[in-house]
Amino acid sequence: MTASSQRFVLVLLMIACMALSACSSGPSGPTPGSPAFYWSAAQQTFRNGDHVKTANNLAKLAKNAEYAAKAQPWEMVVNAGLAQGYMELADRYESGGRANRGAAAAFRTQVSHYRSVANAAVLQFTESIHDFMDKNKDDSITLAFPFPSGTTAEPGQVARVSKGVMPSDAERGSIEKAMLERGVLLSIANVAGAGTDV
């Protein structure tokens, strides 16, 4: 086979591969940046227990005519739960700083951080509820999301924080995730009229 016929065969094989890969791709899902994309992302992050990303995805849908009626109540419930989780974390670290005077500065840093993010969640909740109440005149509100996983029990490490034991960075991340899941669970139970009974 000559060099030119080898190149010709190689080009034909490349074209065939490209055609086959184009034909074999399945559904690509919603276009990134579209409302359907953010709705799908909110559902996925909610299932994964990443409520901060869920709230961010839902915030992008709050003004969209197609999704606002479903996204706004969900966003409000999640932001209320995030605010509760962050405030409780700030309180536990504040107790820890009083219990461990030698590490009080490190505990105060965490208190400041968690109060700051709690305030941001409260502000987002307040803006969302005002916007929702202005536009929604229905007697009932549809909660268009599944009940999340998690537990309302505080993780055991939180009691150690309150007693003045500063967790490692990895522990702090898992404590935060558990407390935010707890806050969102309690928020959903409260909105559903069940108080703290999930």
Side-chain angles (χ1 to χ4, degrees), residues 72-141:
Q72 285 180 325
W74 190 4
E75 180 194 11
M76 288 184 289
V77 169
V78 170
N79 277 317
L82 291 175
Q84 179 176 344
Y86 285 135
M87 286 187 278
E88 289 178 346
L89 280 164
D91 292 344
R92 301 312 177 270
Y93 278 98
E94 186 174 41
S95 297
R98 284 194 299 266
N100 184 350
R101 300 257 181 221
F107 280 91
R108 274 195 303 273
T109 299
Q110 294 304 311
V111 171
S112 176
H113 166 70
Y114 285 124
R115 290 216 168 115
S116 174
V117 290
N119 287 338
V122 168
L123 180 61
Q124 187 59 45
F125 170 78
T126 304
E127 289 174 4
S128 297
I129 201 162
H130 281 294
D131 187 49
F132 184 76
M133 297 299 279
D134 285 344
K135 294 177 183 167
N136 190 318
K137 305 301 179 196
D138 294 339
D139 289 336
S140 63
I141 299 170

Side-chain angles (χ1 to χ4, degrees), residues 9 14 20 41 60-61 65 78 85 88 90 96 103 109 116-117 119 126 128 130 132 144 147 152 155 160 176 181 198:
V9 169
M14 288 174 51
L20 286 174
K60 292 179 173 107
L61 296 170
V78 170
E88 289 178 346
T109 299
S116 174
V117 290
N119 287 338
T126 304
S128 297
H130 281 294
F132 184 76
F147 199 77
T152 58
R160 293 179 59 223
E176 179 179 313
E181 285 178 351
V198 298

